[in-house]
Amino acid sequence: MKIIAIMNHFGVLAKEAPIEELHKKLLAENYRIIYPEDVDDLMELVDNNAKVCGVVFDWDTWSVLLPKNISGLNEQLPMYAFSSQRTQLEIDVDDLGLNLHFFEYAFDAVDEIAARIQRGTDAYFDAILPPFTKALFRYVDEGKYTFCTPGHMGGTAFQQSPVGSLFYDFFGANTMKSDISVSVSELGSLLDHSGPHREAENYIADAFNADRSYMVTNGTSTANKIVGMYAAPAGSTILVDRNCHKSLTHLMIMSDVTPIYFRPTRNAWGILGGIPRSEFARETIEARVKQTPGASWPVHAVITNSTYDGLLYNTDYIKQTLDVKSIHFDSAWVPYTNFSPIYKGLCGMSGTRVPGKVIYETQSTHKLLAAFSQASMIHIKGEFEEETFNEAFMMHTSTSPHYGIVASIETSAAMMKGNTGKRLMENSILRAVRFRKEIKKIKASSESWFFDVWQPEGESLAPCCWNLTPGAEWHGFKNIDEGHMFLDPIKVTLLTPGMDKQGKMEEQGIPASIVAKYLDQHGIIVEKTGPYNLLFLFSIGINKTKALSLLRALNDFKRDYDRNAFVKEMLPSVYEQQPTFYAGMRIQELANGIHKLIRQHKLPELMFRAFETLPTMVMNPHAAFQKELHGEIEEVYVDEMIGRVSANMILPYPPGVPLVMPGEMLTEENRPTLEFIQMLCEIGAWYPGFETDIHGAYRQPDGRYTVKVIKNVQ
Ligand SMILES: *Cc1c(COP(=O)(O)O)cnc(C)c1O
């Protein structure tokens, strides 16, 4: 649908009649015409309706101010100014860089005017479409016949079969026709970086402030491996955030490297406070190299930025001080940071090159921008060996990439470019801040309990990244460095009752997992659930309706909780896990039951201590996995883990941070780690439906958990 907005000067016949003619003509050409009431109405329309592809207005009334304002929202949007013949143009509009076309109010010129508007629309679409996507659209439009893979042949194979036809109709013709083989030469190649693919990479690098960008069609899981394979040769030592994504553990399993872990701090809620500055210091690294068997000075470092809870580092400081050849910021969760000034100095690609260092940033485009699943990017700043890097790239890339994913990666970059992208970011930041204020307001006016938000105190929260200043009470971190960590406003952490800021457990509480299950039942998926905290992401896809429905669901939870509804009624999916157990149980009994278990086990303290002392690395992850492949492993109960070397990574969700890495041994000193795992198992055993998913631990029919350890190594 193409929409043209017309702002005319009504009441003057000489002006009304030509516009009326134009209206008819444009309708015949499949445009929809909208007449905004006033300038505000027009701006609202342009801001909120992405299908507007032109604005017609009366120059004599509005002159240059109107197009300037519109351009602030979308500098590419064509504008058509009508003026009566006598008006002189007072300014040279070309100088302003406005996409402005002039017409005179005249009779019998409508065909010519409509034709020029159509050309304007075509040029507009051409200007906003990025190169690869444009080439793909064109290819599909031309409807060429191919005799190569994929075997569905533009969908025709599906249509030969009854079930295939259902599939075809569900996904639609363009999904089929745009799924084409690498042998279509006019689209270039993702693996050779040629043709429109290469143009897309350049386009993306330009948008993301990188020297070089790569599109990855198998997620940041793969992007991380590509970067690591290239930056850390076998035998080298690397610095790895202990709070790393499992793809980095997989990298260390594939490549024979020695890890030294950065140790992030955490607060009582289990929110990770990031890696303190002392961890980046030369002396700390020197001491760790000495303690670690087989380690040498690290060549490469990997840092999760932002953390899972939305904390961003002052990356400038890290880039300047950390003494390694290359630094990789795993920014899977923040692909948008280059498009708002509030993230300046807090992301991998911000600023200029750092002499003698290569900076990598990997982003899951699909996570918080608009792209298909698995869409990911690698951005690089600094000198690197392009051909060797490409060997690592190709090693992890299918020789048959999905062009729909490629086009979506590129289109997400196009969406973020220019003023329209800036508006998208501004709106999502404002929406998040508004939501935060709303929660605070309800809490302040509520006589009993309500959810709280994790954010700086004070009424007037500016829409920016909030510094975790040392000593400030709200964040709950004891030793935070000045100017080091910042909270991203769009990552909203809600707190449930049960624990205060110092980690003191209250008499009564509502564990967050219960709220998460309730929200799930109401069609709202929580991003991450801690013991008493829930994370929500206000990405560009969150509109007013979605924010409101979350607010409503939280209110509904409070209402149902306060009237002490039955579990069966409030959490039917939990009830169904074991109807006999939950029969007659009410929500407050369930909440307090789990809360009591958490209190008994001193969860906050235990979690803190569980991550405080790292297990001992007996062999690196690569060697441990090789042992597993050679069958040199056995299964033991979790309780028998002390003194044994784990073959796998053990990682509970929540908090989604590895507790034990492959090749590591728990010693007596690590008893809290073991107790933490045991506690997670116990909650699940007591309350069906509340089992923690523990990667690397296997639940046996008797309800106990086992892990795989390496034989004959103690
Ligand atoms: C999700 C995630 C990844 C993996 O990204 P995918 O695009 O899902 O493959 C890597 N690192 C971090 C920190 C993540 O959160």
Side-chain angles (χ1 to χ4, degrees), residues 230-282:
Y230 169 78
S236 63
T237 298
I238 60 173
L239 295 162
V240 184
D241 198 333
R242 186 71 182 186
N243 165 32
C244 69
H245 184 255
K246 58 176 144 185
S247 56
L248 289 153
T249 310
H250 291 144
L251 164 74
M252 296 188 284
I253 286 171
M254 293 162 84
S255 198
D256 188 3
V257 292
T258 302
I260 291 179
Y261 295 103
F262 286 131
R263 300 169 193 196
T265 57
R266 64 195 60 239
N267 67 11
W269 288 295
I271 297 173
L272 289 158
I275 304 159
R277 279 196 173 157
S278 57
E279 292 284 295
F280 301 123
R282 192 160 235 300

Side-chain angles (χ1 to χ4, degrees), residues 448-482:
S448 57
W449 69 278
F450 197 65
F451 302 95
D452 203 352
V453 200
W454 188 62
Q455 63 181 30
E457 302 291 346
E459 292 294 301
S460 55
L461 263 193
C464 63
C465 288
W466 302 302
N467 190 357
L468 274 65
T469 45
E473 207 183 312
W474 68 270
H475 55 65
F477 292 106
K478 291 194 185 81
N479 303 310
I480 205 102
D481 298 298
E482 177 71 49

